[in-house]
Amino acid sequence: MVVQVVLVHGIRTSATMWRAQAEYLTVRGNPVTAVDLPGHGSRIAEEFTLESAFATIDSAVRAAAERGPVLLSGHSMGGLLCIEYAGAETPPPVAGFIAASCTAIPRGVGLATYRVLARGFDSLPDRGMWLTDRMLDRILPDETRADFGAGGYALDAQDVALRSLSVLDLLAALHRIDAPLWFVNGQYDQLRVNEKLFMRIARHAELIVVPRTTHHVTVMRPRVFNALLEVALTTLEASHR
């Protein structure tokens, strides 16, 4: 059976951040679904809640699972949500999982600091978008620069989404995940803070660190991330042959 792929974006961005991966997967022959979480992208007018976010992921995964084994991939906030989802007490139909840029527990001082910084950006003229755009112009290649923000930026949902992440029990979820798991981090990713802890707890995990790369690994190094998708896909294809 053909491996199906479900992609879950990070905070503020949308499904468009995965365009390079969606194109690669389509050419390879793997059906792909890139979701928009509530409050983001095509659903930017909706309120973000954990319940609706998990329902979005679950709906996409279960629809894909009707056609074949599912490779789930989430980035940043999307990766944190997918850890909690994939590690539910009643396991969802996830055959493999790539968790990108999300090896941090979203609680305590780290989360509080991130929220303060986000609010500081939000208080700037044009809500800090001039500075954000300059930064992204510097780090993202031309082939993905437009994709990252093509669905708009979910500025209004940001603080609500960040606050909601504090209730996730990621360590318990990681211990329960019984599918092949790949952690993918950029070398300079600020969310590597609990990387070693995550690797100790996850029972079926491998860690890939991409050199000279920041938190935005999927769009900063699209060909590298596509190669890592290839690793996951060939692994699942071999196990389901």
Side-chain angles (χ1 to χ4, degrees):
M1 299 180 73
V2 177
V3 177
Q4 316 288 306
V5 182
V6 174
L7 305 172
V8 185
H9 63 79
I11 200 163
R12 298 216 313 175
T13 183
S14 70
T16 66
M17 65 163 279
W18 295 107
R19 282 177 176 171
Q21 285 72 47
E23 180 180 357
Y24 164 77
L25 291 165
T26 299
V27 171
R28 192 182 187 277
N30 296 93
V32 55
T33 301
V35 303
D36 273 334
L37 294 171
H40 294 73
S42 62
R43 304 171 64 189
I44 203 163
E46 298 180 31
E47 178 185 5
F48 180 93
T49 67
L50 282 181
E51 292 77 11
S52 57
F54 286 130
T56 298
I57 297 169
D58 187 59
S59 177
V61 167
R62 293 190 184 278
E66 294 178 0
R67 303 185 295 270
V70 177
L71 173 64
L72 177 64
S73 180
H75 176 261
S76 191
M77 177 186 74
L80 296 173
L81 293 172
C82 287
I83 290 174
E84 185 86 356
Y85 172 75
E89 292 187 11
T90 302
V94 172
F97 175 28
I98 298 177
S101 306
C102 59
T103 50
I105 299 172
R107 290 182 186 165
V109 174
L111 179 62
T113 301
Y114 195 106
R115 290 179 66 192
V116 168
L117 290 172
R119 289 173 187 160
F121 265 75
D122 205 38
S123 67
L124 295 172
D126 83 345
R127 304 183 75 173
M129 287 309 304
W130 182 88
L131 187 57
T132 297
D133 284 337
R134 299 292 79 73
M135 178 194 73
L136 294 173
D137 287 345
R138 289 175 62 94
I139 67 172
L140 299 187
D142 291 343
E143 63 186 297
T144 59
R145 174 64 187 93
D147 299 339
F148 190 72
Y153 291 104
L155 302 178
D156 292 335
Q158 182 171 239
D159 194 60
V160 173
L162 287 171
R163 184 178 68 242
S164 70
L165 297 178
S166 65
V167 305
L168 302 181
D169 191 355
L170 298 181
L171 299 185
L174 280 171
H175 183 71
R176 287 191 292 262
I177 294 176
D178 196 32
L181 167 59
W182 294 268
F183 292 118
V184 179
N185 287 332
Q187 180 182 2
Y188 305 121
D189 189 345
Q190 66 271 26
L191 295 192
R192 293 183 65 187
V193 61
N194 297 124
E195 184 181 80
K196 292 181 179 179
L197 174 62
F198 279 37
M199 282 297 294
R200 284 202 305 270
I201 291 176
R203 293 179 293 157
H204 307 284
E206 297 180 50
L207 172 65
I208 300 99
V209 177
V210 182
R212 303 180 303 281
T213 306
T214 69
H215 181 67
H216 303 294
V217 59
T218 60
V219 283
M220 190 174 180
R221 297 283 186 267
R223 291 182 179 84
V224 172
F225 197 83
N226 289 348
L228 299 176
L229 281 172
E230 182 69 25
V231 170
L233 289 166
T234 54
T235 300
L236 297 185
E237 288 165 353
S239 64
H240 288 82
R241 188 168 296 146

